[in-house]
Amino acid sequence: MKLLAVSVFLALWVGSCALVTCNNTLADGTKSSCLCHIGGGDDNGKYLDFRALSGRQIMYKSANYNYTWTFCTPNNSGATEGGTCVTSYDSAICQKDGPVFRSTGRQNESSFMYSPTSKTWTLKFEGGEVAKTATRTSDVQIICDSAVTTFVHDVIDPPQGSVDYKLSLTSLHACPKSLPPNKKDSSKHGLSTGSIMVIIFFVLLVVYLIGGALYLRGARGAEGVEMVPNYSPGLVKDGVTFLVSGCGREKSGYETI
């Protein structure tokens, strides 16, 4: 019985952690490495937003390589030397190995993953330059610290034979925000005044027709079209004539002479 209770608890804990996501798919189906919407967890409904850093670069230096991460836009650090660190490759992170430049992940192949243990996000870039055994990828651990107004960053070279690179970024820019700046969230805004007026008009019209029909039925015993409030064949005819004539009035006798 105790083992069953522990199993149920673990299943619920794992399930609740799996619900913490960050959607970075844009309207056109592409992936954004700048903005994602958090679903689940303590920051549910908030955003990770790096758009204020668009185009800026962070330089990482490890024992064996140099790395350049360009926020939001393609990294072309090695454009003059060739390789895959060019604008057309849509590279996010570029690795410099002596005179050789290699992409270790693309902007459009990014995703955000949450760790319930450290309560931090990892921005994963895939689709880098193909190595002998696999495609290069980069994992950037994003650490929120509102006291760090610039950046604190680190990198660890992968084990021999691995092409999955581990980096980190500590900054206030890594802290979830309530709303993305410079972006209107249509789901947070109410209806326009015109829309409200139209809705009120049709609601009142329905109430008038139903209420009037019930009153005429109960008070006067009306049936059929007679239950329509203010219904009169003569009024209907006059209304149609008014519309057909261009909503104008007949000219007076003095005007026609």
Side-chain angles (χ1 to χ4, degrees):
M1 190 69 179
K2 184 179 296 185
L3 179 61
L4 177 61
V6 172
S7 300
V8 170
F9 172 78
L10 289 175
L12 292 174
W13 181 78
V14 172
S16 63
C17 294
L19 291 177
V20 183
T21 60
C22 204
N23 182 17
N24 67 326
T25 303
L26 302 178
D28 60 0
T30 60
K31 298 291 185 178
S32 171
S33 61
C34 279
L35 179 69
C36 73
H37 185 216
I38 300 173
D42 296 336
D43 295 316
N44 182 47
K46 293 185 178 181
Y47 294 81
L48 291 176
D49 189 355
F50 297 106
R51 291 175 301 166
L53 306 176
S54 180
R56 292 187 60 177
Q57 293 184 328
I58 296 180
M59 310 293 291
Y60 293 82
K61 185 177 179 61
S62 69
N64 299 317
Y65 308 106
N66 291 335
Y67 301 85
T68 305
W69 176 15
T70 304
F71 287 94
C72 309
T73 59
N75 189 323
N76 61 353
S77 300
T80 57
E81 289 80 5
T84 50
C85 293
V86 292
T87 301
S88 60
Y89 198 80
D90 193 36
S91 178
I93 297 178
C94 182
Q95 177 197 70
K96 185 177 184 297
D97 181 10
V100 181
F101 290 81
R102 305 185 184 95
S103 172
T104 60
R106 300 190 186 199
Q107 300 283 8
N108 190 32
E109 295 189 37
S110 58
S111 59
F112 291 81
M113 299 173 294
Y114 182 72
S115 169
T117 304
S118 61
K119 294 186 177 181
T120 58
W121 290 91
T122 295
L123 175 54
K124 187 176 186 65
F125 294 101
E126 300 180 277
E129 183 176 312
V130 178
K132 293 181 180 179
T133 57
T135 302
R136 289 178 169 83
T137 61
S138 296
D139 294 336
V140 183
Q141 185 183 27
I142 301 171
I143 303 171
C144 168
D145 190 338
S146 58
V148 181
T149 57
T150 54
F151 308 103
V152 175
H153 52 280
D154 194 13
V155 59
I156 301 175
D157 286 331
Q160 185 69 30
S162 173
V163 289
D164 186 14
Y165 304 94
K166 306 295 183 183
L167 303 91
S168 67
L169 170 70
T170 302
S171 173
L172 63 83
H173 296 287
C175 299
K177 301 175 177 62
S178 297
L179 281 175
N182 305 321
K183 177 182 175 68
K184 292 183 178 180
D185 188 350
S186 59
S187 64
K188 304 296 182 182
H189 288 267
L191 297 172
S192 64
T193 303
S195 299
I196 295 175
M197 294 299 294
V198 170
I199 293 174
I200 293 175
F201 169 78
F202 281 104
V203 169
L204 293 177
L205 178 62
V206 171
V207 172
Y208 170 75
L209 292 175
I210 295 177
L214 293 175
Y215 171 79
L216 292 173
R217 175 69 175 178
R220 302 182 182 180
E223 296 180 354
V225 294
E226 294 178 350
M227 294 176 61
V228 179
N230 292 324
Y231 172 79
S232 172
L235 291 175
V236 174
K237 180 181 178 181
D238 291 342
V240 172
T241 303
F242 179 76
L243 292 174
V244 171
S245 63
C247 301
R249 296 181 180 180
E250 292 184 1
K251 295 182 180 180
S252 67
Y254 291 102
E255 292 178 334
T256 57
I257 295 176

